Amino acid sequence: MEKPCVLVPALGPKGIYQCFIPCIEEHFTTVTYEEFEKKQENFAEMIQAVFVWGCGLQVNKKLLQTLPKLQVVANGGVGVDHLDIPLINSFGVKVCNTPHVVDNATADIGMTLMLASARKILEGHDFSKYHESVYLAESTLGNDVSGATLGIIGMGRIGYKVAKRANSFEMKILYHNRNQRKEEEERAVGAVYCEKIEDLLQKSDFVMVVVNLSPQTRKLIGVKELAMMKPNSTLINISRGLVVDQDALVDALKRKVIKAAALDVTYPEPLPRDHPLLSLPNVIVLPHMGTHTVETSQVIVEKMISNTLAVLNGEQPPDEVKI
């Protein structure tokens, strides 16, 4: 029996890594976007699914109009702010994502960034590589994480997993959320609810942003919010780059309004090499690596496959995104 055809952004570093391709090709015939552009007339009637992985493939009106047999767009990851879901649905095409899979890996990267920033891990590594003296400079003194106060903005699934990890470090945990969690959930991680975000900002040594990107959260952290933070505090962003006003952050770091920042997400991604954030000594910037592990990526691919097969078999996919 002929396998259904799926359009993928690319194979390799520009798209889906080669190590995950055998799993996909067990169920589908893959067509890369480059192949599709070269021989559109050969593939347009064959493609029934599109895999969105990273930023290598834009599902826009033009593409949708060229794929009459398309039934499903499967997104690798939770966030779907890069997809125009009403537009895609208007073509009779379902959209699926991969929720819950990324929670642990993203919470891990949040803790990693906090610890690396607080304990000056990069400075220590550079000293080991380039030292001209055997003595550590005063500037390499870090800060204790244990016993410090962590403010979590956004206590959803990932935020709660961050709280669990932070609780193991004996941190004091504050959180701000649209809705307060149940008392037993708060008690389990020792978290205290802050109805007003300013209360959290003013009291936290570390502020970790773990919200979804929406019109309400766009530039949620700006000049006003940064000014409310402690001068010795650190901002950690593991949500989406646009949740933080980067110009305001650069200014706050230069003027020492806050002590440091550790970012897994920026806008754009990756940042241009001459971006001012990359030249500041009190900043760690990662190229959106929160879910970038073998294990998590494998499960993401498997969920993309199962969602796609469900749609193509006329079944309800487990992870359809509805607006």
Side-chain angles (χ1 to χ4, degrees):
M1 184 177 175
E2 195 170 313
K3 298 175 185 176
C5 209
V6 59
L7 181 65
V8 299
L11 305 181
K14 293 183 180 179
I16 300 175
Y17 291 129
Q18 290 285 354
C19 58
F20 303 121
I21 297 305
C23 182
I24 296 172
E25 292 187 338
E26 184 180 339
H27 304 278
F28 304 102
T29 298
T30 58
V31 177
T32 66
Y33 190 62
E34 185 179 359
E35 292 171 329
F36 175 73
E37 283 192 309
K38 286 179 181 177
K39 295 184 178 180
Q40 193 174 119
E41 66 282 358
N42 290 8
F43 298 116
E45 293 280 339
M46 298 168 55
I47 292 168
Q48 295 175 265
V50 171
F51 280 8
V52 178
W53 188 278
C55 56
L57 200 163
Q58 301 299 315
V59 183
N60 51 30
K61 188 174 182 180
K62 181 181 176 183
L63 179 65
L64 291 164
Q65 288 173 332
T66 62
L67 301 175
K69 300 292 178 65
L70 184 64
Q71 295 185 51
V72 58
V73 172
N75 182 67
V78 180
V80 290
D81 47 271
H82 55 298
L83 295 174
D84 188 339
I85 296 174
L87 172 67
I88 296 170
N89 289 163
S90 73
F91 281 80
V93 176
K94 294 181 182 293
V95 176
C96 301
N97 65 348
T98 57
H100 313 299
V101 176
V102 304
D103 298 357
N104 280 320
T106 308
D108 286 349
I109 208 74
M111 294 298 293
T112 301
L113 284 167
M114 179 169 62
L115 290 163
S117 180
R119 296 305 306 270
K120 303 290 186 78
I121 297 300
L122 298 186
E123 289 90 333
H125 177 70
D126 286 344
F127 177 86
S128 295
K129 286 179 69 177
Y130 307 117
H131 64 88
E132 296 178 0
S133 165
V134 295
Y135 303 107
L136 284 167
E138 185 177 335
S139 61
T140 61
L141 279 169
N143 294 101
D144 286 340
V145 168
S146 299
T149 299
L150 170 63
I152 301 172
I153 301 176
M155 186 78 101
R157 296 188 315 274
I158 295 171
Y160 195 73
K161 285 183 177 288
V162 169
K164 282 184 173 181
R165 287 156 172 74
N167 186 49
S168 298
F169 277 80
E170 300 177 357
M171 299 187 80
K172 303 176 185 74
I173 301 167
L174 307 177
Y175 78 99
H176 173 74
N177 214 31
R178 282 176 300 180
N179 302 303
Q180 185 172 359
R181 278 188 168 266
K182 295 176 181 177
E183 187 179 339
E184 57 267 30
E185 292 174 333
E186 292 179 337
R187 197 183 312 115
V189 294
V192 176
Y193 179 62
C194 294
E195 186 176 352
K196 296 179 180 178
I197 194 172
E198 44 264 46
D199 292 338
L200 178 147
L201 294 170
Q202 291 166 359
K203 297 174 182 176
S204 299
D205 301 304
F206 301 92
V207 173
M208 193 176 301
V209 187
V210 203
V211 298
N212 293 323
L213 179 61
S214 69
Q216 292 73 37
T217 61
R218 189 183 178 94
K219 295 193 176 179
L220 176 68
I221 305 298
V223 175
K224 176 184 169 187
E225 290 74 26
L226 290 163
M228 292 178 186
M229 292 173 63
K230 293 181 178 182
N232 65 342
S233 64
T234 298
L235 178 71
I236 302 143
N237 187 9
I238 58 171
S239 56
R240 286 291 184 269
L242 283 164
V243 171
V244 174
D245 183 334
Q246 280 182 181
D247 293 335
L249 179 59
V250 169
D251 182 65
L253 290 163
K254 284 181 175 178
R255 294 193 299 110
K256 298 183 179 179
V257 173
I258 64 172
K259 182 177 182 178
L263 314 170
D264 183 43
V265 288
T266 57
Y267 60 94
E269 290 173 350
L271 287 175
R273 291 174 66 178
D274 61 352
H275 194 282
L277 273 175
L278 299 176
S279 64
L280 295 173
N282 51 347
V283 181
I284 296 174
V285 181
L286 299 182
H288 203 155
M289 297 175 68
T291 61
H292 202 68
T293 71
V294 172
E295 295 83 0
T296 294
S297 297
Q298 180 68 43
V299 179
I300 287 173
V301 169
E302 289 169 358
K303 282 187 86 69
M304 292 169 75
I305 291 169
S306 62
N307 277 310
T308 300
L309 290 174
V311 174
L312 299 186
N313 290 330
E315 302 165 0
Q316 177 60 37
D319 304 305
E320 182 178 4
V321 180
K322 295 182 180 179
I323 300 297

